[in-house]
Every structure is written in structure tokens, then in C-alpha cells.
């Protein structure tokens, strides 16, 4: 079975290469297919990573509906927040933006320092998120081992996956300097992977439903005690739903697929209903898998994060096991590929190229090597990002749940929300406000979220600490953004400036009284 898994993995990678090459051919049929609104909508399914495929099932098996916010947030945003998405795409296309950092920079005077700060925050958030995917890949391979404890396994599978994904990203994502050009092959491959993710979940869910039905027919009572509707009214549930909705706007990979790789603004009309439908089907599949896993696998010793994989293995269905395994690989690899491409674009454009042009501008322009140098830097950056992600996984993420890693990544990346919304709707927004807001948000995130998490010994309190840290850091971020934007406005009198400056500690300092390191 182990040999079959590796063989299927190689075949799957080959299929991805062929799909990407076919999409890049530029023929009439390939252009018609790759630019279709359905392909665009399915490509948005890149939002569903290993956190959804594995981590959400693990969370649902013990905490019930607490898994729902990461999927409910995007559904609510596309249903009720569609005008925000439409305006974001329209404005970005007019200004020809290449990334979320470029968008924020373009809305606040095209200052390179603004894009640099955004890039740093995005990098700190995305590297742990990529490590989450590597953890899931290694767990998928480890599920076929006789050793149940996946943390004891070597990281060989994650290392090989890192190398293969880096190769794919470099060959099909970092070949051209112009990232605003629609990458037909890559988007088509991502859409195909989205279908495979959903197929894998549906197969595992079908097996779970069969097991639950057979148990009910035999008169065996199946416990559903974890499904408490009161969970949906908790602060953690509401805050995490908001975090997930905000992440759609702030995640570099999601911004790139939704905005930069949008070939036609009308495609968003289809995505408005198809993407939420995709997420609803995902939710419908997770519930029976988690219920069956809680009943049949809770005492088996396997990690709850791989219940999706364990369902077909539990009934000894090898073909279903292979398909579910490929679905898990799709969930992880698609995210890693696009995340590394978008992050490498931001780092290259906003960190390295300004330095290179400052030192070698005349030489590069004279020899016509400007675009070639960008591609080289981007390829090297992809390798560096994946190396750091693997190191992060190997050193720290192996001992942390998928759900916790995902929430921490979301909590940091959504610090970009105030400048994004302000850039769309507030004309008085200023770059000084962006600097102050991001700095204050990041510092309060460190103080009230990361440090309490590091010192906490109770895993059950992590969600509460994250929720409270998000509330405090976003308040600090928003206040800093608003006040320092107004302070940059020359129309304010000295009296008003003084009162605005005094307002900062008055609003933020009391926040420390609400931080709970451990539940009483």
C-alpha cells in the first residue's frame, strides 16, 4: 500500500504538470476553459487548505460546531459583503496592482515603505501557515504507517513535498516578470485541485454516513454530544467567523487569485454563489466524518486531525483511501504553491528590487536584464520561503494542532484589514496612519496573543486567548490608523491634535485588563 501511495503521488504531480501546460498553450479551447467563471470560482477554493481538510474535522470531532467559523466567514462575506469584493477588484484592476502589499501601497501614495511593512507582516503570518500544510502532508503519509503517533514520524515526506512543490512553483509560477498577466495553466490546475479536495471529503463522508447508518440499524447509539448549538453564540465563535471573513481580503494568496488573477470582473458574479456553495458542501461533508470519527476512532490512538484519512482505511477500502489521500495532498499543495508565488512576488518587488535598482540600476537597464533579474530573485525567494517553512514545521509546528496554527496565522494577517478597508472607503486615510496602525496592532498582537499563548499550559484556553488578542490588536490597529491619519491632515488644529494623541493610551491601555492567560 505504501508503494501505491508514492506511485499515485507521482502520477498526480504529473497530471498537475500536464494540466498547467495545457492551460498555458493559448489555444481556443484552453482559453475558453481556463477563463470560464466556473474555473475562477473553483480556484477560489484554494481557501480550503489542510486546515479545512484535516484540521476542521479534528476540531469538529471534539468541539463540534467550533470548526464552522473558518467556513462560515467567507460564506457571509460573499453573500452580504459582495459590494466590498466588487469594489476591491475594480479598484485593483484600475491601478494594475500585483499583490495585497501593492494595493495598500497604491492607496496611500505609492510609498515603498508601506509595501515593505505589509510584506513583513504577511511573511510572518504565511510561513507558519505553509508549515501547517507540510505538517498535514507528513501526517497523510504517516497514516499508512503502523505507528499511530504521527509526531514520532520522520519529516521525510514533508521534505520531499517541499522540493517537489518548489519545483512546480518555479516552473509554472515564476517564469515571467509580469505577475498581472493571467496565469491560465496555474489557475486551471488549482481549480482541478479544488474539485479533488471536495471529492476526497465527499468520499470520506459517504463512508462515514454508511458506518453511522449501519450502527443505527444495529441499535447502537452514536454519541453526538459534541454538537452543541450554544457554541454558535460564544465569543470565540463570533470572533473566529469575523477573522475568516477578513482573511479572504487579507491573505496574499486569496487576494491574488480573487483580484490579480481575475480575468473578467463579471466572473465575480458567478463566484458570489458558487464559492459559498462549495463551502457549504465542504461543511456538509465534515459533519458526518467528525461524528463517525468521534464514535469509531476516538479510542484508536490516531490523531483526530487525520480522521478524514482514517475513514476509508477503517473499512479497508484501498481505492477510496487513495482518492482521499490525493484530496489531502491537493489541499496542501495548492495553498503552498500560490502562497509562495504571491509572497515571493511581494518580497521581490518590495524588498529586494529597490535595493538592486539602487545599486545596479544603470547596469541592469543598459544590459536589458531587468526582467531576468526579477525572475531570478523570485525563484530564489520561493526556495527560501519553503526552506524557512520546513524549518518552522520541523522545530515547532510538529507539536501544535492544525487548528491552532491556522488561527495564529489568521490573527496576524488580518492586521492588514484596517488599511485595506480604509483604502477603499476613506479618502483621509494616510500612510502615517498605516505605519502607526500596523505597528500598534503588531505590538499588541505580540503582547496580548502570542506571549500569552507561549506561556499557557492549557490547550483549552488557546481559542479564548486568540479571540481576545485579535479584538485588542485590531482595536489598537484601527485607533492608530485613524488617529495618525487625522494627525497627518494639516486642517486639524493643535488643540484637536493634542486630544487625539491623548486618546490613544486611554483606549488601548485598559485592554490589558481583559486578557485571560488561563481560565479560572
Amino acid at each position: 500500500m505504501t508503494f501505491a501511495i508514492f506511485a499515485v503521488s507521482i502520477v498526480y504531480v504529473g497530471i498537475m504538470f500536464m494540466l498547467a501546460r495545457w492551460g498555458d498553450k493559448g489555444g481556443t479551447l484552453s482559453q475558453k476553459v481556463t477563463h470560464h467563471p466556473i474555473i475562477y470560482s473553483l480556484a477560489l477554493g484554494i481557501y480550503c487548505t489542510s486546515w479545512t481538510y484535516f484540521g476542521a474535522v479534528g476540531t469538529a470531532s471534539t468541539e463540534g460546531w467550533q470548526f464552522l467559523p473558518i467556513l462560515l466567514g467567507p460564506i457571509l462575506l460573499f453573500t452580504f459583503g459582495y459590494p466590498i469584493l466588487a469594489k476591491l477588484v475594480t479598484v485593483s484592476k484600475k491601478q494594475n496592482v500585483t499583490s495585497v502589499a501593492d494595493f495598500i501601497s497604491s492607496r496611500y501614495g505609492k510609498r515603498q515603505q508601506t509595501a515593505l511593512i505589509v510584506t513583513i507582516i504577511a511573511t510572518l503570518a504565511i510561513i507558519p501557515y505553509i508549515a501547517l500544510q507540510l505538517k498535514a502532508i507528513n501526517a497523510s503519509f504517516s497514516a499508512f504507517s503502523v505507528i499511530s503517533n504521527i509526531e514520532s514520524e520522520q519529516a521525510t515526506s514533508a521534505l520531499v513535498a517541499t522540493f517537489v512543490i518548489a519545483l512546480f512553483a518555479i516552473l509554472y509560477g515564476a517564469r515571467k516578470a509580469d505577475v498581472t498577466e493571467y496565469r491560465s495553466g496555474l489557475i486551471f490546475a488549482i481549480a482541478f485541485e479544488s474539485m479533488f479536495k471536495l471529492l476526497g471529503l465527499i468520499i470520506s463522508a459517504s463512508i462515514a454516513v454508511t458506518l453511522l447508518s449501519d450502527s443505527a440499524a444495529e441499535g447502537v447509539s452514536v454519541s453526538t454530544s459534541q454538537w452543541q448549538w450554544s457554541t454558535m453564540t460564544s465569543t470565540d465563535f463570533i470572533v473566529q467567523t469575523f477573522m475568516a471573513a477578513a482573511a479572504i481580503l487579507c491573505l496574499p494568496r486569496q487576494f491574488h487569485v480573487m483580484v490579480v488573477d481575475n480575468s473578467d470582473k463579471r466572473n465575480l458574479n458567478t463566484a458570489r454563489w458558487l464559492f459559498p456553495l462549495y463551502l457549504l458542501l465542504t461543511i456538509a461533508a465534515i459533519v458526518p466524518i467528525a461524528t463517525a470519527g468521534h464514535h469509531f476512532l476516538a479510542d484508536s490512538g490516531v490523531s483526530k486531525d487525520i480522521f478524514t484519512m482514517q475513514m476509508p482505511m477503517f473499512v479497508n477500502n484501498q481505492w477510496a483511501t487513495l482518492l482521499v489521500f490525493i484530496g489531502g495532498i491537493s489541499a496542501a499543495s495548492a495553498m503552498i504553491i500560490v502562497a509562495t508565488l504571491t509572497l515571493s512576488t511581494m518580497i521581490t518587488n518590495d524588498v529586494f528590487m529597490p535595493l538592486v535598482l539602487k545599486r545596479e540600476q544603470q547596469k541592469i537597464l543598459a544590459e536589458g536584464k531587468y526582467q531576468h533579474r526579477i525572475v531570478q530573485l523570485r525563484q530564489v525567494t520561493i526556495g527560501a520561503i519553503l526552506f524557512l517553512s520546513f524549518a518552522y514545521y520541523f522545530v515547532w509546528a510538529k507539536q501544535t494542532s492544525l487548528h491552532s496554527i491556522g488561527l495564529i496565522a489568521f490573527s496576524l494577517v488580518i492586521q492588514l484589514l484596517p488599511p485595506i478597508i480604509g483604502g477603499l472607503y476613506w479618502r483621509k486615510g494616510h500612510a502615517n496612519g498605516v505605519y502607526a496602525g500596523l505597528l500598534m496592532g503588531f505590538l499588541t498582537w505580540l503582547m496580548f496573543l502570542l506571549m500569552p499563548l507561549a506561556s499557557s499550559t492549557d490547550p483549552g484556553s488557546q481559542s479564548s486567548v486568540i479571540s481576545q488578542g485579535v479584538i485588542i490588536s485590531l482595536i489598537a490597529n484601527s485607533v492608530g490608523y485613524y488617529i495618525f491619519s487625522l494627525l497627518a491632515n494639516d486642517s486639524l488644529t493643535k488643540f484637536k491634535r493634542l486630544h487625539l494623541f491623548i486618546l490613544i493610551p486611554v483606549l488601548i491601555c485598559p485592554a490589558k485588563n481583559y486578557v485571560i492567560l488561563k481560565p479560572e
Side-chain angles (χ1 to χ4, degrees):
M1 187 64 179
T2 303
F3 173 78
I5 287 296
F6 279 99
V8 168
S9 301
I10 293 173
V11 171
Y12 176 74
V13 171
I15 292 174
M16 289 298 101
F17 271 89
M18 288 189 294
L19 288 174
R21 290 193 64 180
W22 182 80
D24 283 336
K25 280 186 177 180
T28 304
L29 179 59
S30 65
Q31 288 293 305
K32 184 177 180 180
V33 171
T34 57
H35 287 72
H36 199 279
I38 292 179
I39 297 299
Y40 170 78
S41 302
L42 290 175
L44 293 177
I46 195 174
Y47 174 80
C48 297
T49 65
S50 298
W51 182 7
T52 301
Y53 200 86
F54 295 111
V57 173
T59 301
S61 65
T62 55
E63 301 180 44
W65 296 112
Q66 196 58 50
F67 87 93
L68 189 58
I70 63 169
L71 299 170
L72 180 61
I75 292 174
L76 295 176
L77 179 65
F78 271 76
T79 303
F80 302 105
Y82 179 78
I84 299 175
L85 302 175
K87 185 166 186 177
L88 181 65
V89 172
T90 301
V91 172
S92 299
K93 289 301 180 182
K94 286 182 179 179
Q95 300 193 357
N96 204 32
V97 301
T98 60
S99 65
V100 64
D102 188 35
F103 171 80
I104 294 176
S105 174
S106 67
R107 302 303 288 172
Y108 299 95
K110 279 286 184 182
R111 299 191 184 188
Q112 193 268 330
Q113 294 89 342
T114 308
L116 177 61
I117 295 174
V118 173
T119 300
I120 292 173
I121 291 178
T123 302
L124 293 175
I126 299 308
I127 285 180
Y129 206 176
I130 296 175
L132 182 156
Q133 315 307 316
L134 297 177
K135 176 182 173 73
I137 290 174
N138 207 59
S140 298
F141 280 95
S142 299
F144 298 97
S145 173
V146 294
I147 303 176
S148 297
N149 185 6
I150 64 173
E151 275 73 25
S152 66
E153 294 293 311
Q154 298 297 320
T156 307
S157 302
L159 181 61
V160 173
T162 302
F163 175 78
V164 173
I165 290 170
L167 183 64
F168 186 91
I170 290 171
L171 288 178
Y172 283 98
R175 295 183 300 168
K176 299 177 182 179
D178 184 11
V179 293
T180 60
E181 181 180 343
Y182 185 71
R183 296 173 295 186
S184 304
L186 183 64
I187 294 299
F188 184 54
I190 293 171
F192 182 81
E193 288 189 309
S194 293
M195 289 299 297
F196 237 113
K197 285 184 288 189
L198 186 58
L199 176 64
L201 281 174
I202 290 174
I203 291 173
S204 185
S206 300
I207 295 173
V209 169
T210 301
L211 289 172
L212 293 171
S213 300
D214 291 344
S215 296
E218 294 172 2
V220 178
S221 176
V222 177
S223 174
T224 57
S225 58
Q226 78 269 34
W227 302 107
Q228 300 293 329
W229 292 103
S230 59
T231 303
M232 296 186 182
T233 60
S234 67
T235 302
D236 290 347
F237 188 94
I238 296 171
V239 172
Q240 289 175 23
T241 301
F242 171 80
M243 289 169 61
I248 290 291
L249 303 174
C250 302
L251 282 171
R253 75 173 190 278
Q254 205 68 31
F255 184 93
H256 206 283
V257 173
M258 183 173 65
V259 177
V260 180
D261 278 324
N262 185 321
S263 60
D264 189 333
K265 289 182 288 186
R266 292 173 296 181
N267 289 348
L268 202 60
N269 295 327
T270 301
R272 184 180 187 179
W273 61 266
L274 185 54
F275 181 51
L277 176 61
Y278 181 92
L279 297 178
L280 287 172
L281 291 174
T282 300
I283 294 170
I286 288 174
V287 172
I289 298 173
T291 304
H294 181 73
H295 179 73
F296 296 103
L297 302 174
D299 298 326
S300 64
V302 300
S303 170
K304 62 181 183 297
D305 282 339
I306 56 171
F307 279 176
T308 305
M309 283 284 300
Q310 288 295 326
M311 278 295 110
M313 296 179 69
F314 184 76
V315 298
N316 198 29
N317 188 327
Q318 294 187 357
W319 283 108
T321 300
L322 289 175
L323 291 173
V324 173
F325 169 78
I326 292 299
I329 296 299
S330 298
S333 60
M335 179 272 169
I336 297 176
I337 290 169
V338 180
T340 52
L341 290 177
T342 54
L343 198 55
S344 66
T345 298
M346 294 164 62
I347 293 174
T348 301
N349 293 353
D350 304 318
V351 180
F352 293 143
M353 282 309 297
L355 298 175
V356 171
L357 289 175
K358 187 176 181 180
R359 294 178 54 186
E360 307 177 23
Q361 182 175 13
Q362 297 301 324
K363 181 180 178 181
I364 293 176
L365 294 178
E367 296 177 0
K369 295 182 178 180
Y370 178 79
Q371 293 187 343
H372 181 66
R373 180 64 63 89
I374 291 178
V375 172
Q376 284 184 327
L377 285 173
R378 195 169 293 149
Q379 291 172 344
V380 172
T381 304
I382 288 173
I385 291 169
L386 287 172
F387 172 78
L388 290 174
S389 300
F390 177 79
Y392 184 94
Y393 153 73
F394 192 78
V395 172
W396 186 76
K398 291 172 70 176
Q399 289 77 36
T400 309
S401 70
L402 300 179
H403 186 70
S404 295
I405 299 173
L407 284 179
I408 293 171
F410 270 22
S411 68
L412 181 54
V413 79
I414 64 172
Q415 297 301 320
L416 305 179
L417 183 64
I420 289 176
I421 297 299
L424 287 176
Y425 294 102
W426 195 38
R427 293 185 178 183
K428 291 184 178 180
H430 194 275
N432 290 352
V434 177
Y435 303 150
L438 291 179
L439 178 61
M440 293 168 63
F442 180 69
L443 291 178
T444 49
W445 178 84
L446 285 175
M447 292 171 57
F448 299 119
L449 193 151
L450 196 60
M451 292 175 63
L453 279 181
S455 61
S456 176
T457 57
D458 181 12
S461 66
Q462 289 185 352
S463 291
S464 296
V465 172
I466 291 173
S467 298
Q468 294 168 22
V470 165
I471 294 172
I472 295 170
S473 60
L474 276 180
I475 290 175
N477 189 335
S478 302
V479 170
Y481 169 71
Y482 176 74
I483 290 178
F484 280 88
S485 291
L486 291 181
L487 288 173
N489 189 338
D490 293 334
S491 63
L492 285 177
T493 65
K494 291 183 179 180
F495 179 77
K496 289 182 178 179
R497 291 188 181 191
L498 178 62
H499 279 71
L500 286 173
F501 192 74
I502 293 175
L503 194 61
I504 298 174
V506 171
L507 289 177
I508 296 175
C509 287
K512 65 181 181 181
N513 298 324
Y514 301 99
V515 177
I516 302 174
L517 299 184
K518 296 179 182 179
E520 297 182 358

